[in-house]
Amino acid sequence: MKNLLKKYGHIWALGYGFIYLPWFLYLEKTVKSYAVMHTRLDDYIPFNEYFVIPYLLWFVYVAGAVLYFFFTSRQEYYRLCTFLFTGMTLSLIICTFFPNGTDLRMPVDSQKNICSFLVSLIHAADTSTNVFPSIHVYNSLGVHAAVMNSLVLQNRHGVRRLSFFLMIAICLSTMFLKQHSVTDVIGAMLLAYLIYAFVYGEDYAGSRRTVRRKALG
């Protein structure tokens, strides 16, 4: 047990879920009046139920990345968790003091196809509130940033390309499913830009150069 705790003691960071989930669920239940996030550009984006596939792959994408770095690089795991959890907390703070939601959702025929059925399940489980900034977009950007900055994955070009295309598909899915406004996506991108500088700034770049020099002898 002592050896396991020593090897995997960094699991403590995942305890953040006990902070995020109750807070998020509380907002989901209590926010009734909110600012509507809707731009004219949203009206030009057609609904497409097939985007539910990358939308749901987000769960695998984010959880898979956290687990991968958990077992391969404690430092990169902490960097990713810092990126994700900082942005998620700021998002909850924004939604707490600036209640927001969207009016973009439309009726979906759950009998049309399997993708429409999955969209109907999402609508039943998830309210149209607490959308700005989009956590789907923010976390996708965070995972891709972790992949691109990873020394472990620096030569895994296929993985890096796959991560890029999945990240783009997930970001687009939030708008084509009418789960989020363009405003929510832009807000998430701006937040990710700010947090990126904090997590992967000059200090991190310096540490990467040091690791490379040691590896080259």
Side-chain angles (χ1 to χ4, degrees):
M1 180 62 72
K2 184 182 292 186
N3 289 335
L4 283 175
L5 288 175
K6 183 177 181 180
K7 187 176 182 179
Y8 300 118
H10 49 299
I11 196 174
W12 67 268
L14 299 183
Y16 173 75
F18 294 105
I19 298 174
Y20 179 82
L21 285 175
W23 191 350
F24 176 77
L25 292 174
Y26 170 78
L27 291 175
E28 286 282 284
K29 291 180 179 179
T30 58
V31 173
K32 304 299 181 183
S33 177
Y34 50 82
V36 176
M37 314 306 290
H38 189 153
T39 69
R40 183 173 298 180
L41 184 57
D42 293 316
D43 299 326
Y44 291 98
I45 301 174
F47 172 80
N48 188 315
E49 71 270 18
Y50 295 105
F51 273 96
V52 75
I53 297 172
Y55 188 85
L56 292 176
L57 281 176
W58 174 83
F59 295 95
V60 178
Y61 185 50
V62 176
V66 171
L67 287 175
Y68 176 80
F69 290 119
F70 177 85
F71 289 110
T72 59
S73 172
R74 183 176 298 202
Q75 182 188 34
E76 293 178 8
Y77 161 80
Y78 277 134
R79 294 274 183 182
L80 176 57
C81 286
T82 300
F83 193 107
L84 298 181
F85 301 162
T86 301
M88 291 163 71
T89 301
L90 290 174
S91 176
L92 288 178
I93 292 174
I94 291 171
C95 291
T96 299
F97 293 100
F98 175 63
N100 56 79
T102 180
D103 61 354
L104 297 171
R105 286 186 181 180
M106 56 186 63
V108 177
D109 180 7
S110 62
Q111 304 299 317
K112 180 181 178 182
N113 54 45
I114 183 62
C115 289
S116 294
F117 174 71
L118 291 173
V119 173
S120 69
L121 292 181
I122 292 173
H123 286 181
D126 184 26
T127 72
S128 59
T129 59
N130 308 307
V131 296
F132 177 86
S134 168
I135 291 298
H136 249 68
V137 171
Y138 177 84
N139 281 1
S140 298
L141 293 170
V143 168
H144 186 61
V147 170
M148 295 305 294
N149 282 280
S150 171
L151 291 174
V152 179
L153 296 174
Q154 62 181 342
N155 296 318
R156 303 291 296 275
H157 303 298
V159 173
R160 289 154 69 98
R161 282 193 290 269
L162 178 61
S163 174
F164 174 76
F165 287 118
L166 185 53
M167 179 266 293
I168 293 296
I170 292 171
C171 292
L172 290 175
S173 75
T174 64
M175 294 178 287
F176 279 92
L177 289 181
K178 300 300 181 179
Q179 287 290 101
H180 287 280
S181 165
V182 172
T183 305
D184 307 330
V185 174
I186 293 174
M189 292 172 67
L190 291 174
L191 181 59
Y193 177 80
L194 295 174
I195 302 303
Y196 183 91
F198 170 69
V199 177
Y200 298 105
E202 284 301 315
D203 290 341
Y204 180 71
S207 67
R208 281 170 59 92
R209 288 192 290 268
T210 300
V211 171
R212 286 200 179 97
R213 284 196 295 269
K214 289 181 178 179
L216 294 173

